[in-house]
Amino acid sequence: MSTGPGAPSAPAPIPSTCVSRKSSMFSSLKVRNYRLFFLGQVVSNIGTWMQRIAQDWLVLSLTGSATAVGVTTALQFLPMLLFGLYGGVLVDRLSKRRALLFTQSAMGATGIALAVLTLTGHVQVWHVYLAAFAAGLATVVDNPARQSFVSEMVGPDQLQNAVSLNSANFQSARLIGPAVAGVMITGVGTGWAFLANGLSFVAPLVGLLMMRSRELYAVERAPRGKGQLREGLQYVAGRPELIWTIVLVGFVSTFGFNFPVYLSAFADDVFHAGAGSYSLFNTVMAVGSLAGALLAARRGTAKMRVLVVGAVAFGALEIVAAIAPSLWLFALLMAPIGMFGMTVNVTANTSVQMGTDPAMRGRVMALYMMVFMGGSPIGAPIAGWITDAYGVRAGLAVGGAIAAVAAATIGLVLARMGNLRLSVGWNRGHPHVRFVPRENQEQLAPAA
């Protein structure tokens, strides 16, 4: 097995995992293969957001039940929870480019199948359930393949920039896709929105086919063998910088990212402002997330202290938003919450990829995505129960507090493991917070 950047058994737990210099905000787009990938994802992500809106609307139209909409969402995430780690094993064995050609084709086919059924008037709710589950099965391989393929296109120096731009791409589509879907559903019907999504996958497929294989960074594939799933879990368990990052992401995603529960309740129950304010909250948060992704692309580093501080700030801002007295203050707070949430997402993603041996990256990213995506199905019912029992302000405050406390605790654990201390001071009139080696402080103490 290759001994890549994740090989040491006990590396310093609070390192910079990327190059330390700042990079141009769009520097990774200079790489031809990644540029083709990025442009394909622009089109595909817009189509995916269109399908999400159209799918929920169609199920609600067919059944009149919000529970049925929830079942559809659960079916889409269930395969990742059940089979995600096995998908990572497959990704480590296969050519990621070929795997993506298959998964992207499969997801495009589900959109076209739903379009045909809807446009011909034969669609039933079980068809939507089946399509959602099929798309979920494709993501079992697609998610870890797409995440780990980025490093093969751009290499380690541009990895954070490329991961950040992928997030910016997704957030941009989050602003455009639902709006286009709303116009299309109102004007011509849900079937055409499904068709647009199915056809949108042509763009990433063309981009993958146009890539130059000789310009990809070579990665050793894992040979077929027994015990590879267990090997992946043991690999993560033996590397504190990986396992604690994934644990932190688990806490934040499970308790902090339940915005469908919180935002709708704030719009309806707290501010009594209706669907328009709910849309406003989501739009402002998407703008903040986009800004966070672009700032991460500009920063060019993935330091553990950025992850910890970002998660603490994210949780603290949720607590502040929970007690916001007015709708407009609450809406304004959605921007920094989105920005810090995206900082956590991008920094954790890059840190995990850079700290992992390339031959293990598929399995590790599958575990990461399982924790990140699997948090919502677990956390949402908890958030809903707290909201129903004690009010939405209490629900949001508790979620933010858990995320902030978990981040601070994990930061202190990592600092202690790395023999570091927290140093707080002032630099040119600004507060300066960083971790420094204990030995340095002990040597400076007599001089003070």
Side-chain angles (χ1 to χ4, degrees):
M1 182 178 289
S2 169
T3 54
S9 58
I14 306 189
S16 170
T17 53
C18 284
V19 290
S20 59
R21 60 179 176 82
K22 286 187 177 182
S23 60
S24 167
M25 187 175 290
F26 302 102
S27 57
S28 56
L29 290 177
K30 296 176 183 177
V31 180
R32 179 181 182 274
N33 283 343
Y34 178 71
R35 187 165 62 249
L36 290 169
F37 177 84
F38 181 88
L39 292 173
Q41 290 299 308
V42 168
V43 179
S44 177
N45 283 336
I46 292 174
T48 297
W49 277 105
M50 290 174 64
Q51 171 129 342
R52 288 187 182 186
I53 301 301
Q55 180 176 274
D56 291 348
W57 184 259
L58 176 62
V59 171
L60 194 61
S61 300
L62 290 172
T63 65
S65 168
T67 301
V69 176
V71 170
T72 308
T73 303
L75 286 171
Q76 198 155 342
F77 285 102
L78 184 61
M80 192 67 185
L81 292 174
L82 296 177
F83 311 117
L85 291 177
Y86 295 99
V89 171
L90 286 175
V91 167
D92 281 335
R93 292 177 183 174
L94 302 172
S95 162
K96 296 174 183 61
R97 183 183 175 193
R98 291 179 181 175
L100 286 171
L101 284 168
F102 173 79
T103 57
Q104 297 281 295
S105 299
M107 288 189 286
T110 62
I112 292 174
L114 273 180
V116 171
L117 288 167
T118 305
L119 292 172
T120 58
H122 293 96
V123 69
Q124 298 179 37
V125 69
W126 71 267
H127 293 142
V128 186
Y129 287 164
L130 183 61
F133 188 76
L137 283 175
T139 63
V140 168
V141 173
D142 186 82
N143 268 334
R146 191 157 30 85
Q147 297 285 335
S148 53
F149 187 51
V150 173
S151 64
E152 294 187 23
M153 289 184 284
V154 302
D157 288 351
Q158 295 287 352
L159 181 59
Q160 161 124 0
N161 184 265
V163 170
S164 302
L165 290 183
N166 281 351
S167 298
N169 187 331
F170 186 77
Q171 293 303 323
S172 299
R174 181 182 173 186
L175 292 171
I176 299 170
V180 176
V183 172
M184 189 169 286
I185 291 169
T186 302
V188 293
T190 55
W192 294 101
F194 292 136
L195 182 62
N197 175 57
L199 295 177
S200 74
F201 284 94
V202 172
L205 290 172
V206 170
L208 289 166
L209 292 171
M210 290 178 64
M211 288 183 184
R212 296 169 181 164
S213 299
R214 65 181 181 275
E215 295 179 8
L216 294 173
Y217 286 75
V219 173
E220 179 184 353
R221 295 186 207 167
R224 183 183 296 272
K226 294 182 179 180
Q228 290 181 325
L229 178 58
R230 183 174 64 253
E231 181 186 15
L233 294 174
Q234 290 173 342
Y235 178 90
V236 173
R239 285 160 176 77
E241 79 285 2
L242 294 182
I243 193 167
W244 285 113
T245 298
I246 293 173
V247 168
L248 175 54
V249 167
F251 272 103
V252 173
S253 65
T254 300
F255 298 102
F257 279 4
N258 296 301
F259 295 111
V261 175
Y262 298 138
L263 298 188
S264 58
F266 265 94
D268 190 40
D269 300 334
V270 176
F271 299 120
H272 309 290
S277 61
Y278 177 62
S279 176
L280 172 65
F281 298 155
N282 280 283
T283 300
V284 174
M285 181 175 290
V287 171
S289 299
L290 177 59
L294 292 175
L295 287 172
R298 175 64 177 168
R299 189 162 50 243
T301 59
K303 296 180 179 179
M304 189 62 83
R305 68 170 178 263
V306 175
L307 173 61
V308 172
V309 172
V312 171
F314 173 80
L317 283 166
E318 286 198 331
I319 297 173
V320 174
I323 59 176
S326 70
L327 183 150
W328 290 108
L329 178 58
F330 183 84
L332 287 174
L333 286 168
M334 291 302 102
I337 286 174
M339 185 180 70
F340 281 108
M342 185 55 61
T343 298
V344 172
N345 184 8
V346 171
T347 306
N349 189 308
T350 310
S351 297
V352 169
Q353 290 206 50
M354 289 301 298
T356 302
D357 190 302
M360 301 291 295
R361 194 167 283 152
R363 279 164 281 183
V364 174
M365 290 310 297
L367 177 61
Y368 174 87
M369 293 306 298
M370 276 185 64
V371 172
F372 182 72
M373 297 175 64
S376 292
I378 297 172
I382 298 174
W385 174 77
I386 295 174
T387 297
D388 288 340
Y390 303 101
V392 66
R393 290 188 183 275
L396 181 58
V398 169
I402 292 175
V405 170
T409 302
I410 290 171
L412 292 174
V413 168
L414 289 173
R416 187 175 183 82
M417 291 173 62
N419 198 31
L420 302 174
R421 283 184 177 179
L422 184 67
S423 173
V424 181
W426 289 86
N427 183 18
R428 297 179 180 179
H430 298 284
H432 189 63
V433 181
R434 63 176 178 171
F435 289 102
V436 298
R438 290 175 182 270
E439 292 80 6
N440 288 358
Q441 290 194 345
E442 290 169 0
Q443 291 171 3
L444 291 173

